[in-house]
Amino acid sequence: MDNLPTFSKRRPQLQVAIKPYSSPLFYAEEVAPNTLSTTGGTALFLQTEHGRFLVTAAHVWKEMQKLSAQPGGRFTIAVSSGSHLISLRDAEVVDQDEILDLTILRSPRITEAILQGNQFYQPLRLPPPPLIAGEIVGFIGFPGQLREIKGLHISPLSWYLEHPCYPGIGDKFMIPGFGEERQLVNHVEQAPAVDDVGGSSGAPVFAYRDGRVELVGVVTEGTTGANPSSTFQISSIRRLKADGTLEK
């Protein structure tokens, strides 16, 4: 396993490598002319020999389904790929685990998607070896606080966090949600501070192993800020199989 000694040496390598695999997930509703109300999370486009899937946190998908079932308004559930949105209205759940807080989706639109600025993550092995305490992991999330809305156009900004992980309960790991290891990916003037990270749930988490990045988990809960107790919870995907189901 690669053992780069410091964040400063590892960060550019890991951050650049994983950026194409994180995509913002949206529920957007036109609440007034040219005015959008938006919520959502982060997701991963996954491709295996069994097909193409979308992986996110179960609570994110449930909330979006709940909102879309409400009458009135014009709404859409979509995942962003560069300059366009891919509708998820016809998406179906392949498998879901409420304890792990993971959902795997598929739809014809995901299968036929031509991504712009993103890539389907194609793992060399599923499931991957389990996370090890102290292993450095990183993820890119799309907090709702950083989703700029101009007219009916949503422009998401993302941020990056990298840190050694430590064991949680069961198949879950934790990483601190503060420190110099977090930073905005998009360099914009007067970018807001990343204090409210609602929308980062569902972000794919990667480790740098044997000279390449490997998917090891999904963000399912988190807080950030200056508080030393702020943390992110990562659900391991060590039970994820190539057909999009989770080993029971």
Side-chain angles (χ1 to χ4, degrees):
M1 183 179 295
D2 174 55
N3 290 307
L4 296 178
T6 66
F7 287 121
S8 61
K9 289 184 179 180
R10 179 185 295 271
R11 179 188 291 149
Q13 196 170 13
L14 184 56
Q15 178 179 322
V16 171
I18 71 176
K19 187 177 180 181
Y21 302 128
S22 290
S23 299
L25 192 61
F26 292 102
Y27 166 84
E29 181 177 3
E30 188 176 7
V31 294
N34 294 323
T35 303
L36 286 180
S37 172
T38 179
T39 186
T42 305
L44 165 77
F45 287 102
L46 174 70
Q47 180 173 329
T48 73
E49 64 268 30
H50 290 273
R52 289 177 161 184
F53 309 93
L54 194 73
V55 181
T56 189
H59 76 268
V60 170
W61 183 247
K62 285 186 175 182
E63 179 64 18
M64 295 175 82
Q65 290 287 90
K66 178 182 175 182
L67 290 170
S68 69
Q70 297 177 358
R74 193 182 83 184
F75 66 86
T76 184
I77 300 177
V79 61
S80 176
S81 173
S83 62
H84 70 288
L85 297 178
I86 299 171
S87 173
L88 296 176
R89 288 193 182 188
D90 62 348
E92 62 178 9
V93 174
V94 178
D95 206 348
Q96 186 166 271
D97 189 303
E98 294 189 4
I99 295 177
L100 285 176
D101 197 6
L102 293 177
T103 292
I104 297 91
L105 304 163
R106 67 182 170 196
S107 79
R109 287 186 174 91
I110 294 172
T111 299
E112 299 165 3
I114 300 175
L115 304 186
Q116 299 178 8
N118 301 84
Q119 296 178 22
F120 279 92
Y121 173 72
Q122 301 182 51
L124 289 179
R125 52 188 174 181
L126 274 179
L131 271 170
I132 301 171
E135 190 169 9
I136 294 176
V137 297
F139 72 86
I140 291 175
F142 292 86
Q145 182 183 0
L146 299 185
R147 298 182 187 204
E148 297 180 336
I149 302 176
K150 298 178 180 179
L152 293 180
H153 177 68
I154 305 172
S155 177
L157 302 177
S158 56
W159 72 295
Y160 175 73
L161 177 66
E162 175 183 311
H163 210 283
C165 64
Y166 58 91
I169 299 175
D171 284 332
K172 297 183 179 181
F173 279 75
M174 315 292 286
I175 56 175
F178 67 97
E180 296 180 357
E181 295 77 27
R182 63 184 180 128
Q183 63 180 34
L184 284 168
V185 175
N186 308 67
H187 299 287
V188 296
E189 293 182 3
Q190 298 179 338
V194 186
D195 292 323
D196 178 4
V197 294
S200 291
S201 290
V205 180
F206 294 87
Y208 198 84
R209 294 170 164 175
D210 301 322
R212 69 185 303 273
V213 295
E214 183 163 44
L215 179 69
V216 293
V218 169
V219 174
T220 52
E221 187 177 335
T223 59
T224 189
N227 187 343
S229 65
S230 61
T231 58
F232 280 91
Q233 179 174 272
I234 301 166
S235 287
S236 169
I237 53 97
R238 70 178 184 87
R239 288 165 41 196
L240 178 61
K241 298 189 294 184
D243 62 358
T245 62
L246 294 162
E247 187 176 307
K248 306 304 180 185

